[in-house]
């Protein structure tokens, strides 16, 4: 009897051991191998033959049904210093196509692959690495936004990548230094996703299955990889980047010429493998890339994204403290009027589920603008699988040398994010309050929003309220400020906004002609003033037919009701619309060609009303690719507005971009912009040489004219940095 019981125990132990081994075998693993490789895309090293291959890629676009016909295989390992990745794509042709040889141009219209790496496995943010078939590198950060995920390519690090075209096989090999990654050895699971882009067939294929109703870089769908023998901490990373800018500016109108030489220094240091310290001294934040100009026919300011590297590491901690149009922190406010003397930023994980962001920037005084100190403190806590809470404090205070003066603006608040287990529901709640010297009352903000998403159908609803004294000097709240063009004053007025939206799209996977049809895309925004009276109601209707090659034809109809309380001068001729009730709408129809051709174009035409008059508009986008040598692009927008007795005006906006690629590290880019609304004709021509990884020399010529092509100013700048990595 005892012997029988002993046999049963042994049998149970063997079964349990078999189950454990089976589960372990099914868990994808990034193994540790003490070896190095030569990153050349050829996979000549023996280690690649010993690793498990991860394959079975799914379709994402133009169809999201089933496994991909052209399969890929991925292998990964690390040696404690580098994470090595190889990917092989089984193409049907030896041909390849790319859109750019310039670093950080996304591969959306190129052949290549993307790797997204969530090293904290928290589905909050992740690293983005990709390489096209000409070995051009793109890196950035995927970050959580209020209603989903987005990414920026402004974050950079030093890593290695090489593509090798082996007949029909497209082979990619990369090496990412572990010291560049934010990880925690107590959490040895990385969320990983791979994407392969074949622009020739206009297809995206993906390792972990995701449907097209979700954003391409949705971190909730990453494959979970266990990292074997993850180091306790990454090697200390200490990067120092000195920089010098020599700038000659000639003001033709005032007949002045100024030459400035500005040295600066940037420092990055890993406090831990998951917590980073950034410092900048006397930074040169002059932008090499120019902002893309737009025609603004609204009553409010336009949002432009941040492009300065100092503000971009863990940027989602600071940029998602509010909602669209009501954000307490907008980093482009810092340094907009006064030069920055220094800045410090500490950001990252202090615990596996806790992230912090601490920022302090001091500006100098300039003319009548007093010096200011800007501070931000953000703490984000993942409460459980579904809820994340964020608290923040933003401060702007006038300074006199090392003394703080009693001129300040402070904003504090808390946000609560929800995401469901089935990934169909997202919720967001915000509470905020501002404090200002000599101002009190009506200083709060709240928002509650919900999004539902499944294949082919989604809807959302939200309500927001902004008090007239919810002042955010370092934020972006354009609708709070109403400019009265008749009395030349700006009136601050609070409001309540309700939003509802829905979309229905049907996919035709078996059709030879159609890819999908978006039968309905509707959005409604209603605004009430402080008295509860209707101030504006906006309706947006849209429908699209996507053909098999992903070319499309679409319509848009917008209808606006505006109770205009303050004078508005949209023509810029001194004649303002009187306060009154206005009801107007405009219909737009357009066509977008397939984006996998050397010659691509988009055309649209609009006709309708505009306040008390009429509006006719049209737009064109033309792109011709002479790649891998050059890329030419032309945008044109036309708006003709007739407001009867107030006058007529035609606004022209033209932007030409010409890029010449000598190789992956040397390129020449020229922008030409003509904007009659801003009375500006601008030329910006830039020679850029990456003479070593992330070390650049720029030579930039800028020339500014008015719309009559009379020169206003010109400038020539030389900029050079050198990155030391320790």
């Amino acid at each position: 009897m005892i012997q029988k019981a002993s046999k049963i125990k042994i049998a149970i132990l063997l079964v349990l051991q078999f189950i454990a081994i089976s589960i372990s075998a099914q868990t994808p693993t990034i193994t540790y191998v003490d070896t190095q490789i030569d990153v050349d895309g050829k996979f000549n090293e023996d280690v690649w033959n010993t690793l498990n291959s991860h394959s079975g890629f799914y379709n994402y676009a133009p169809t999201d049904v089933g496994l991909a016909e052209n399969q890929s295989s991925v292998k990964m390992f690390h040696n404690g210093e580098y994470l090595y990745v190889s990917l092989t794509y089984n193409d049907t042709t030896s041909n390849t196509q790319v859109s750019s040889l310039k670093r950080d141009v996304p591969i959306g219209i190129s052949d290549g692959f993307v790797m997204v790496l969530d090293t904290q496995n928290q589905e909050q943010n992740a690293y983005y690495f990709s390489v096209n078939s000409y070995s051009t590198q793109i890196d950035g950060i995927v970050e959580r936004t209020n209603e989903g995920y987005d990414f920026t390519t402004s974050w950079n690090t030093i890593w290695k990548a090489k593509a090798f075209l082996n007949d029909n096989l497209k082979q990619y090999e990369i090496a990412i230094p572990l010291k560049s990654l934010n990880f925690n050895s107590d959490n040895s699971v990385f969320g990983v996703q791979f994407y392969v882009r074949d622009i020739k067939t206009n297809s995206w294929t993906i390792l972990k299955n995701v449907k097209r109703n979700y954003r391409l870089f949705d971190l909730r769908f990453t494959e979970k990889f266990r990292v074997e023998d993850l180091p306790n901490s990454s090697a200390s990373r200490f990067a120092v980047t000195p920089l010098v800018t020599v700038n000659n500016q000639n003001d033709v109108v005032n007949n002045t010429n100024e030459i400035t030489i500005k040295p600066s220094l940037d420092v990055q240091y890993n406090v831990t493998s998951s917590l980073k310290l950034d410092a900048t001294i006397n930074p040169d934040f002059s932008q090499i890339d120019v902002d893309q100009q737009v025609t603004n026919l609204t009553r409010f300011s336009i949002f432009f994204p941040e492009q300065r590297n100092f503000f971009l590491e863990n940027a989602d901690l600071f940029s998602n403290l509010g909602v669209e149009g009501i954000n307490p922190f907008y980093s482009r406010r810092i340094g907009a009027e006064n030069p920055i003397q220094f800045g410090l930023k500490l950001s990252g994980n202090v615990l596996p589920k806790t992230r912090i962001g601490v920022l302090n920037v001091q500006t100098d005084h300039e003319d009548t603008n007093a010096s200011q100190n800007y501070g931000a403190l953000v703490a984000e806590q993942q409460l459980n699988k579904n809820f994340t809470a964020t608290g923040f404090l933003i401060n702007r205070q006038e300074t006199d040398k090392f003394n703080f003066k009693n001129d300040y603006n402070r904003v504090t608040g808390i946000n609560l994010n929800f995401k469901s287990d089935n990934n169909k529901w997202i919720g967001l709640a915000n509470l905020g309050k501002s404090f200002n010297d000599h101002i009190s009352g009506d200083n709060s903000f709240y928002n509650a929003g919900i999004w539902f998403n499944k294949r082919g159908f989604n809807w959302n609803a939200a309500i927001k309220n902004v008090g007239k004294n919810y002042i955010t000097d370092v934020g972006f709240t354009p609708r709070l400020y109403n400019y009265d063009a008749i009395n030349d004053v700006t009136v601050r007025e609070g409001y309540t906004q309700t939003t509802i939206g829905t979309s229905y799209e049907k996919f035709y996977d078996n059709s030879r002609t159609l890819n999908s049809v978006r039968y309905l895309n509707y959005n409604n925004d209603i605004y009430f003033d402080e008295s509860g009276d209707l101030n504006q109601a906006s309706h947006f209707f849209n429908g699209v037919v996507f053909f098999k090659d992903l070319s499309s034809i679409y319509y848009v109809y917008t209808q606006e009701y505006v109770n205009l309380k303050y004078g508005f001068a949209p023509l810029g001729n001194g004649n303002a619309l009187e306060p009154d009730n206005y009801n107007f709408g405009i219909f737009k129809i357009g066509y977008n060609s397939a984006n996998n051709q050397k010659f691509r174009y988009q055309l649209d035409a609009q006709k309708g009303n505009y306040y008390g008059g009429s509006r006719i508009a049209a737009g064109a986008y033309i792109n011709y690719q002479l790649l891998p040598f050059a890329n030419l692009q032309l945008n044109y927008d036309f708006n003709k507005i007739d407001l009867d007795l107030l006058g007529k005006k035609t606004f022209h906006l033209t932007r030409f971009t010409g890029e010449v690629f000598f190789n992956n590290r040397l390129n020449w880019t020229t922008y030409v912009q003509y904007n009659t609304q801003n009375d500006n004709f601008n030329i910006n021509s830039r020679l850029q040489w990456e003479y070593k990884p992330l070390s650049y020399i720029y030579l930039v010529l800028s020339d500014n004219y008015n719309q009559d092509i009379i020169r206003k100013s010109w400038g020539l700048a030389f900029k050079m940095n050198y990155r030391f990595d320790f």
Side-chain angles (χ1 to χ4, degrees):
M1 191 72 178
I2 295 174
Q3 187 178 8
K4 184 177 181 180
S6 178
K7 289 181 178 180
I8 293 174
K9 288 181 180 179
I10 293 173
I12 292 173
L13 289 173
L14 289 173
V15 170
L16 291 175
Q17 186 177 13
F18 175 77
I19 293 172
I21 293 173
S22 298
I23 293 174
S24 177
Q26 293 171 4
T27 302
T29 301
I30 300 174
T31 58
Y32 170 82
V33 183
D34 187 12
T35 188
Q36 293 184 344
I37 66 169
D38 181 20
V39 179
D40 56 11
K42 297 180 180 180
F43 312 154
N44 292 329
E45 293 81 6
D46 292 336
V47 63
W48 293 123
N49 299 321
T50 66
L51 301 172
N52 291 329
S53 176
H54 306 282
S55 189
F57 277 57
Y58 292 87
N59 289 312
Y60 177 81
T63 178
D64 58 1
V65 176
L67 292 172
E69 182 177 349
N70 295 352
Q71 274 296 322
S72 302
S73 61
V74 178
K75 296 180 179 181
M76 289 186 288
F77 77 95
H78 78 91
N79 64 356
E81 183 180 4
Y82 285 93
L83 172 64
Y84 293 103
V85 181
S86 70
L87 183 142
T88 302
Y89 173 61
N90 294 274
D91 206 341
T92 54
T93 174
S94 60
N95 297 330
T96 191
Q97 183 176 332
V98 299
S99 63
S100 179
L101 297 187
K102 186 187 299 183
R103 184 179 179 126
D104 283 349
V105 174
I107 67 166
I109 50 176
S110 298
D111 288 343
F113 95 96
V114 177
M115 177 185 186
V116 168
L117 198 58
D118 180 4
T119 53
Q120 295 290 333
N121 193 29
Q122 291 183 12
E123 302 172 359
Q124 299 294 312
N125 64 351
Y127 297 98
Y128 168 102
F129 298 95
S130 69
V131 58
N132 69 22
S133 56
Y134 275 70
S135 301
T136 305
Q137 295 175 240
I138 306 100
D139 47 17
I141 293 289
V142 178
E143 56 188 26
R144 177 184 56 79
T145 62
N146 292 324
E147 68 278 8
Y149 296 87
D150 207 345
F151 85 102
T152 172
T153 58
S154 296
W155 176 86
N156 295 290
T157 193
I158 294 177
W159 54 292
K160 303 174 186 178
K162 189 67 177 178
F164 178 66
L165 305 180
N166 185 9
D167 198 18
N168 286 8
L169 299 179
K170 306 298 190 296
Q171 298 178 187
Y172 303 92
E173 200 168 42
I174 68 175
I176 303 170
L178 289 176
K179 67 181 181 181
S180 299
L181 304 178
N182 176 347
F183 65 86
N184 190 315
S185 60
D186 295 331
N187 180 16
S188 61
V189 176
F190 289 0
V192 184
Q193 182 68 285
F194 285 96
Y195 313 80
V196 174
R197 179 59 162 158
D198 186 341
I199 189 60
K200 304 181 300 300
T201 60
N202 227 339
S203 67
W204 283 97
T205 54
I206 192 167
L207 177 63
K208 183 74 178 291
N209 196 13
V210 181
K211 298 303 180 184
R212 277 189 292 173
N213 52 296
Y214 295 100
R215 297 194 179 187
L216 184 61
F217 302 120
D218 195 318
L219 299 181
R220 295 172 296 175
F221 296 95
T222 55
E223 185 72 73
K224 310 306 178 184
F225 280 78
R226 184 177 63 85
V227 185
E228 185 180 88
D229 295 334
L230 186 65
N232 290 331
S233 63
S234 64
S236 177
R237 178 190 177 213
F238 191 65
V240 179
T241 308
L243 182 148
V244 64
T245 301
V246 182
N247 201 346
N248 177 74
Q249 290 294 323
N250 186 284
D251 186 335
V252 177
V253 176
N254 297 311
N255 194 27
T256 61
N257 191 81
E258 182 181 12
I259 298 177
T260 59
I261 300 175
K262 185 174 184 178
S264 60
L265 183 69
D266 293 333
V267 179
Q268 295 176 314
Y269 177 66
N270 275 14
V271 180
T272 69
S273 60
S274 57
L275 189 64
K276 298 181 183 293
L277 176 67
D278 291 270
T280 184
I281 301 173
N282 195 35
D284 173 57
F285 280 154
S286 60
Q287 285 303 299
I288 295 302
D289 279 321
V290 293
D291 285 323
Q292 183 171 336
Q293 297 189 30
V294 297
T295 300
N296 183 10
L297 298 179
T298 74
R299 293 170 288 145
F300 307 105
S301 301
I302 296 294
F303 179 88
F304 288 99
E306 178 62 82
Q307 300 183 55
R308 301 172 295 181
N309 285 334
F310 173 77
F311 294 102
L312 291 169
E313 180 93 21
N314 288 305
D316 62 300
L317 274 169
F318 302 95
S319 61
N320 288 316
L321 301 179
V323 295
E324 184 179 359
I326 313 168
N327 205 323
F329 186 81
Y330 179 41
S331 57
R332 282 186 69 133
R333 300 278 189 222
I334 302 176
E337 297 180 347
N338 300 23
I340 293 177
Q341 293 179 305
F342 65 85
L344 292 170
K345 184 177 67 170
L346 181 69
S347 61
N349 283 75
V350 291
L351 294 170
K353 296 183 182 298
T354 306
R355 298 170 71 206
I356 65 165
V358 182
L359 180 145
N360 187 267
V361 178
Q362 178 67 44
T363 67
D364 201 355
H365 65 85
E366 172 123 338
D367 299 327
T368 59
N369 297 322
S371 59
Q372 304 285 338
N373 184 267
Y374 299 89
L377 173 62
V378 182
E380 178 187 273
Q381 178 68 40
Q382 190 169 348
L383 303 176
N384 56 35
K385 184 179 179 181
N386 303 109
F387 287 95
T388 302
T390 305
F392 64 88
L393 173 65
I394 312 297
N395 182 65
R396 191 275 312 155
Q397 191 149 3
E398 183 180 333
T399 59
D400 181 9
K401 295 182 179 179
F402 294 102
N403 299 317
F404 286 90
K405 305 192 73 174
N406 195 33
D407 177 354
Y408 64 86
N409 168 249
R410 296 176 186 130
V411 187
T412 186
I414 187 168
N415 306 327
L416 187 65
N417 288 79
F418 167 79
K419 55 186 179 184
S420 65
D421 289 334
N422 62 8
N423 296 325
K424 292 182 178 180
W425 296 91
I426 294 176
L428 174 66
N430 308 76
L431 288 173
K433 189 176 284 286
S434 71
F435 303 90
N436 307 272
D437 52 311
H438 311 306
I439 299 176
S440 61
D442 291 329
N443 58 340
S444 298
F445 156 68
Y446 70 77
N447 167 74
I450 189 169
W451 292 263
F452 173 78
N453 188 8
K454 73 173 186 178
R455 190 176 191 262
F457 175 72
N458 64 72
W459 65 267
N460 63 85
I463 183 171
K464 310 174 183 69
N465 177 267
V466 185
K468 71 175 182 180
N469 292 328
Y470 184 68
I471 301 170
T472 59
D473 289 351
V474 201
F476 186 75
T477 55
R479 198 176 184 93
L480 199 60
Y481 299 89
N482 299 267
Y483 176 67
D484 186 342
I486 296 176
N487 299 303
D488 192 24
V489 296
T490 298
V491 181
R492 195 171 64 245
E493 186 173 281
Y495 63 92
T496 299
Q497 176 187 354
T498 63
T499 300
I500 59 170
T502 187
S503 176
Y504 172 69
E505 185 172 358
K506 185 174 181 180
F507 302 100
Y508 295 90
D509 298 306
N510 298 320
S511 172
R512 294 184 177 181
T513 306
L514 297 178
N515 180 272
S516 66
V517 177
R518 186 180 300 152
Y519 287 98
L520 174 66
N521 184 17
Y522 171 71
N523 195 77
N524 168 242
D525 288 292
I526 297 177
Y527 301 88
F528 301 93
D529 63 20
E530 295 173 329
S531 302
D533 296 328
L534 179 63
N535 179 245
Q536 182 174 344
S538 303
H539 302 271
F540 172 91
F541 299 88
N542 164 242
V544 189
V545 177
F546 295 97
F547 299 101
K548 214 62 179 176
D549 63 354
L550 294 186
S551 62
S552 61
I553 187 169
Y554 65 91
Y555 81 88
V556 175
Y557 178 70
T558 56
Q559 180 68 37
E560 299 277 359
Y561 166 79
V562 177
N563 176 15
L564 189 66
K565 301 173 67 174
Y566 308 100
F568 175 41
L571 300 183
N573 60 359
N575 298 329
L577 291 161
E578 294 286 341
D580 201 350
N581 294 325
Y582 295 90
N583 208 328
F584 55 95
I586 191 165
F587 182 80
K588 175 180 179 180
I589 188 169
Y591 175 78
N592 297 336
S593 70
N595 66 356
N596 62 347
Q597 306 298 315
K598 290 185 177 180
F599 178 71
R600 304 183 300 134
Y601 61 95
Q602 300 172 9
L603 303 170
D604 67 76
Q606 304 179 60
K607 183 176 175 57
N609 301 317
Y610 181 72
Y611 286 91
S614 63
R615 177 186 169 203
I616 298 174
Y621 164 85
I622 299 172
N623 176 226
Y624 188 69
Q625 300 179 357
L626 297 167
L627 293 166
F629 309 109
N631 190 12
L632 307 176
Q633 181 177 305
L634 179 67
N635 297 72
Y636 174 67
D637 286 304
F638 163 89
N639 277 275
K640 182 178 181 180
I641 298 174
D642 185 347
L643 293 180
D644 298 329
L645 297 178
L646 297 181
K648 303 177 182 179
K649 203 68 173 284
T650 300
F651 296 122
H652 300 274
L653 175 60
T654 304
R655 178 183 173 96
F656 168 79
T657 305
E659 299 175 295
V660 177
F661 308 106
F662 303 101
N663 53 46
N664 290 79
R665 297 191 180 276
L666 181 63
N667 58 77
W668 176 34
T669 303
T670 299
Y671 302 101
V672 180
Q673 296 189 108
Y674 179 69
N675 188 343
T676 60
Q677 187 183 43
N678 292 343
D679 188 23
N680 184 48
F681 176 76
N682 171 261
I683 300 172
N684 180 282
S685 191
R686 176 189 73 223
L687 187 68
Q688 173 180 315
W689 178 30
E690 188 181 8
Y691 61 94
K692 69 181 291 286
L694 296 185
S695 296
Y696 293 93
I697 290 177
Y698 302 97
L699 187 63
V700 184
L701 172 67
S702 59
D703 218 351
N704 294 285
Y705 302 79
N706 64 18
Q707 65 184 33
D708 297 320
I709 320 300
I710 298 174
R711 177 179 273 175
K712 297 185 294 184
S713 65
W714 65 272
L716 183 65
F718 171 84
K719 186 173 182 177
M720 178 179 180
N721 76 314
Y722 189 91
R723 180 180 172 116
F724 296 92
D725 273 273
F726 301 98

